[in-house]
Amino acid sequence: MRTTTRVSAALAVILSLAASAAQAQSANITATAVVFQAMTVTGARTLDFGNVFPGVAKSIAVAAATSGRFDLTGQASANVNVSFTLPTNLASGVNNLPIGTWTGCTNATNTTAGCTVFTPSAATTATAFSGAGALFVWVGGTVTPGAAQAAGTYNGTVTLTAAYF
Amino acid sequence: MPRCLTTLAFIALCVAFQPLAAQSTVTGIRNLDFGPVIRGVPSSVSPNDPIRSGRFYVRHIIGRQVQVRFTLPTQLARVAGGANLPISFGATDAVAKGTAPTSNPLTFNPNNTQTFNLVTSADFFINLGGRASPAAGQATGAYSGTITLTCTFF
């Protein structure tokens, strides 16, 4: 009987401790970052349609001498997304000249030979810097003058935005 | 008879400790990933970012309390060595949300200890954001550090 009482008392103490004791646990995660050098984007060459005539559409291919070109520098071999803000018209005062059917090509070296074709009007295009941290992007397009297109010099702005990913 | 009671006491002890050991847990679910960071340009990750924020899962017992405490690094170490990347955590960089549909997210400062009363959910997630501040001449490359969440279950 004495043994029973002693054990019961001990059990009560243990149960009491168990009910009130705090228990600590830990878990880890890792924080990571990859530091890249700053990127530069330069509009290297203007997309130039030259002379166009009313009612006659004209296209400039990416491999043409007057295609637009952007030169980028960044972290060697890093992945980069490029996207464009493209005009739907070139403007000459109040007159507009429709532009569209955009074409694009990227390469790690400054030549369109063997470049990778993409669609500039797409949301983003994934590409990468060369091992030397270079990237070249060409753009072409088509202007479609109306039959009564007003004469004049038309221009617009093509903007390339690049971001590491 | 005494031996019988001793056995009984042992079983009771196991049963008494079983609930906390089995039901209370903290687990690292997702790393805090600052991703590409450009030299000289501070970069932040929101605790609500579903991809880059850090994430822990905590489970305890409804009706009880959990105290959570982060151990946060002040810098990440360059994996290749030779440099550190300063990081920091602001007053709104941690968000806790229970798994019950009626649970509301609670924003708190991960630099401070926080105690939760488990009213509607027995388990919850804690998301963690932060800010990396690379110097203009920061060495390029991968950096990493460890974030620890310690939970005290009451």
Side-chain angles (χ1 to χ4, degrees):
Chain A
M1 184 60 182
R2 182 179 299 170
T3 301
T4 303
T5 303
R6 190 163 55 235
V7 171
S8 297
L11 182 58
V13 169
I14 291 168
L15 287 173
S16 174
L17 287 173
S20 61
Q23 176 192 357
Q25 288 185 33
S26 295
N28 295 332
I29 60 173
T30 301
T32 61
V34 182
V35 176
F36 287 162
Q37 71 176 65
M39 199 184 303
T40 65
V41 181
T42 304
R45 188 170 69 195
T46 296
L47 170 59
D48 184 4
F49 289 89
N51 296 327
V52 298
F53 302 94
V56 181
K58 184 174 184 180
S59 297
I60 298 295
V62 292
T66 58
S67 64
R69 194 185 84 224
F70 293 90
D71 296 352
L72 292 80
T73 64
Q75 184 66 37
S77 304
N79 292 322
V80 60
N81 275 325
V82 296
S83 60
F84 289 85
T85 303
L86 301 167
T88 55
N89 292 290
L90 304 183
S92 177
V94 296
N95 300 311
N96 287 325
L97 171 60
I99 183 171
T101 318
W102 296 94
T103 55
C105 209
T106 67
N107 208 345
T109 56
N110 190 6
T111 174
T112 54
C115 67
T116 302
V117 173
F118 71 99
T119 303
S121 54
T124 60
T125 298
T127 181
F129 285 103
S130 70
L135 179 65
F136 300 88
V137 181
W138 292 266
V139 289
T142 300
V143 290
T144 310
Q149 188 75 43
T153 299
Y154 291 76
N155 57 51
T157 300
V158 176
T159 302
L160 182 152
T161 301
Y164 289 117
F165 71 93
Chain B
M1 186 65 175
R3 180 176 297 174
C4 177
L5 285 174
T6 303
T7 303
L8 181 62
F10 176 74
I11 293 171
L13 177 62
C14 292
V15 170
F17 277 109
Q18 183 65 19
L20 278 181
Q23 296 181 33
S24 304
T25 184
V26 54
T27 308
I29 299 292
R30 183 173 63 218
N31 292 331
L32 172 59
D33 180 12
F34 290 97
V37 173
I38 298 171
R39 290 198 292 199
V41 181
S43 178
S44 295
V45 172
S46 164
N48 298 313
D49 188 312
I51 297 171
R52 296 201 182 280
S53 65
R55 191 166 167 89
F56 290 89
Y57 173 72
V58 181
R59 187 182 67 206
H60 190 34
I61 300 166
I62 203 158
R64 296 205 187 175
Q65 289 186 325
V66 184
Q67 184 186 75
V68 301
R69 177 174 53 85
F70 281 101
T71 303
L72 299 168
T74 56
Q75 53 191 12
L76 305 182
R78 189 166 181 255
V79 174
N84 292 315
L85 171 63
I87 64 170
S88 57
F89 299 88
T92 59
D93 274 335
V95 174
K97 188 176 187 309
T99 59
T102 54
S103 294
N104 292 317
L106 174 70
T107 299
F108 65 99
N109 187 341
N111 297 293
N112 299 334
T113 297
Q114 182 79 27
T115 300
F116 298 101
N117 297 310
L118 303 184
V119 177
T120 59
S121 303
D123 56 353
F124 59 97
F125 291 95
I126 297 178
N127 282 18
L128 181 68
R131 181 178 178 87
S133 302
Q138 187 77 43
T140 59
Y143 290 73
S144 73
T146 300
I147 293 170
T148 302
L149 179 66
T150 300
C151 294
T152 303
F153 301 102
F154 296 98

